[in-house]
Amino acid sequence: MANNFCCHHLSHKLRSSISSLRNLPLPSSPFTRGTLKFPISPSRRTHTLSAAIHIQSGRFTWDDVFNLAEPQQNKSSYLDGYFEKVKLCNRNSEKQCEFIPFVLEKRIVGYVHNRFADNLRRFDDLIILPDDTSYGGKFGRYITLHPRIRTIEDRTSALEYVIKSLGEELVPGIRNELYPVKSSFGVPEYFSLERAAAPYFGIKVYGVQMNGYVERDGQKYLWIGKRSEVKPTYPGMLDNLVAGGLPHGISCGENLVKECEEEAGIPRSISSGATAVGAVSYMDIDGYRFKRDVLFCYDLKLPEGFIPKNEDGEVESFKLVPVTNVAKIVRRTQFFKANCNLVIIDFLFRHGYIKPEDLGYLELLQSLRSGDCS
């Protein structure tokens, strides 16, 4: 997909002034986008999201969650609800042609919408748009930083200045949290970028999400969180027990331990037992935002007596829910934050709740990695 795009935007400030940019204040924002590489068969398209239960963010209660009845389903439609959740994370793939490549050191590190680039042209001392078809796309150009801005620190400061100058109207929800910009996981970073700006520059974002489960009398239960009603993103929606983006300067394992403590009060003595079980990926286009996410999945078997307690105010409450009920919630509602559905579906595969006998098994399994999982 990397070679399917073209070029883009940005501009501002002399290198001599870059060092002073770090002291400027910032704004805030986030979200996602995607490409479904594994098409859904015509029989599944008949079961659309309109058939699922729709309740707006924060407008449902735990009673709504637990009182959800399961209608009778035949084998040909059983997985439809899961397919719809994959599609929800992978919207507007046909609009990829509207983006142009963001290139550094001859590698594509992101994508910027052609129109959003118009807002960046005034920063021409920092960002240039060479006319060059080498990186593909229909616009015949790409976006890059001025060649004199070479170090990680200077690149980070230059983009920080640009994002602060654009302001809340164009890049809402600035968090003053930096994400590393890489062409793929495990390679050296080119610079760091404000988290809220990541989808506007189409950079690949990595995160960790953990399924915390309990086994009791031969049955498995998942701890599920309900997000705070005052949280700026996805207020009141259901969430995995622990989740978080992977910021600059921390490993996946250490980040998970940190998030476990902050989000669920899980001490290191327990969270260090979490098992890395793979990854899911998706690509979601929403207006000017191109979200290319890879989520590293973890499982943690918790002691029966452990009760999670949120420490950072982002979770309203937790409930222990039978996995079979969680599967029903995923299939039939939009109660969960969209990308949580993928992590849970992955759990259902690995723990045998979705079986090869279910029609569409392999198609659904492949679709969990619809994004650039690299």
Side-chain angles (χ1 to χ4, degrees), residues 27-28 122 161-174:
S28 72
R122 59 190 167 103
Y161 178 83
V162 169
I163 292 160
K164 289 175 180 177
S165 299
L166 291 175
E168 184 77 14
E169 183 177 350
L170 291 175
V171 185
I174 291 178

Side-chain angles (χ1 to χ4, degrees), residues 4 6 8 21 77 86 109 115 124 181-182 198 206 210 217-218 227 247 266 306 317-318 323 336-337 341 348 350:
N4 292 340
C6 202
H8 191 302
L21 301 179
S77 65
V86 174
V109 297
R115 288 194 196 135
D124 56 356
V181 176
K182 303 179 178 184
Y206 301 91
M210 189 186 82
D217 298 327
R227 295 162 70 89
I266 305 173
F306 176 80
S317 56
F318 294 99
V323 173
F336 274 101
K337 183 166 73 75
N341 291 309
L348 298 175
R350 292 183 291 97

Side-chain angles (χ1 to χ4, degrees), residues 11-13 21 24 123 126 156-166:
S11 89
H12 199 60
K13 241 28 171 137
L21 301 179
L24 293 174
F123 304 102
L126 297 179
T156 299
S157 295
L159 266 298
E160 180 183 8
Y161 178 83
V162 169
I163 292 160
K164 289 175 180 177
S165 299
L166 291 175

Side-chain angles (χ1 to χ4, degrees), residues 49-65:
L49 285 175
S50 61
I53 293 178
H54 294 263
I55 296 184
Q56 258 185 325
S57 301
R59 296 203 177 172
F60 64 88
T61 67
W62 282 113
D63 285 341
D64 294 318
V65 172

Side-chain angles (χ1 to χ4, degrees), residues 121-346:
R121 295 183 186 281
R122 59 190 167 103
F123 304 102
D124 56 356
D125 291 329
L126 297 179
I127 296 171
I128 58 176
L129 290 82
D131 291 325
D132 189 330
T133 60
S134 302
Y135 300 97
K138 71 176 185 179
F139 297 104
R141 63 185 183 277
Y142 64 91
I143 293 172
T144 189
L145 296 179
H146 195 285
R148 70 187 176 205
I149 305 174
R150 297 176 181 175
T151 69
I152 291 177
E153 294 76 15
D154 285 350
R155 288 169 176 172
T156 299
S157 295
L159 266 298
E160 180 183 8
Y161 178 83
V162 169
I163 292 160
K164 289 175 180 177
S165 299
L166 291 175
E168 184 77 14
E169 183 177 350
L170 291 175
V171 185
I174 291 178
R175 305 184 181 191
N176 298 318
E177 182 179 344
L178 295 177
Y179 276 2
V181 176
K182 303 179 178 184
S183 57
S184 59
F185 190 72
V187 302
E189 67 182 85
Y190 295 102
F191 64 95
S192 294
L193 182 70
E194 158 63 35
R195 175 178 180 175
Y200 293 95
F201 288 84
I203 70 164
K204 194 176 294 185
V205 170
Y206 301 91
V208 295
Q209 292 211 28
M210 189 186 82
N211 297 291
Y213 70 100
V214 171
E215 287 187 341
R216 182 185 297 164
D217 298 327
Q219 186 175 2
K220 289 179 182 174
Y221 297 75
L222 279 169
W223 277 107
I224 300 299
K226 194 171 190 296
R227 295 162 70 89
S228 168
E229 299 286 356
V230 298
K231 194 164 170 54
T233 56
Y234 310 103
M237 298 192 77
L238 301 185
D239 208 336
N240 296 112
L241 178 60
V242 171
L246 186 62
H248 168 76
I250 189 170
S251 68
C252 287
E254 279 302 309
N255 192 44
L256 184 70
V257 168
K258 177 180 74 71
E259 295 289 351
C260 279
E261 179 63 38
E262 293 174 357
E263 295 193 352
I266 305 173
R268 179 182 288 267
S269 58
I270 295 177
S271 62
S272 60
T275 302
V277 292
V280 298
S281 64
Y282 56 93
M283 296 188 295
D284 184 76
I285 292 176
D286 179 30
Y288 292 161
R289 297 177 295 180
F290 189 173
K291 196 164 179 63
R292 302 191 299 143
D293 285 6
V294 177
L295 305 178
F296 293 101
C297 303
Y298 288 79
D299 284 355
L300 177 61
K301 184 178 179 180
L302 290 159
E304 279 195 50
F306 176 80
I307 306 295
K309 180 183 178 183
N310 181 244
E311 304 288 347
D312 61 9
E314 295 189 355
V315 181
E316 172 192 288
S317 56
F318 294 99
K319 296 290 184 183
L320 190 61
V321 184
V323 173
T324 51
N325 286 23
V326 175
K328 179 168 51 177
I329 295 163
V330 170
R331 281 199 308 274
R332 298 202 55 229
T333 78
Q334 291 189 42
F335 291 169
F336 274 101
K337 183 166 73 75
N339 63 5
C340 297
N341 291 309
L342 305 187
V343 177
I344 292 170
I345 294 170
D346 180 69

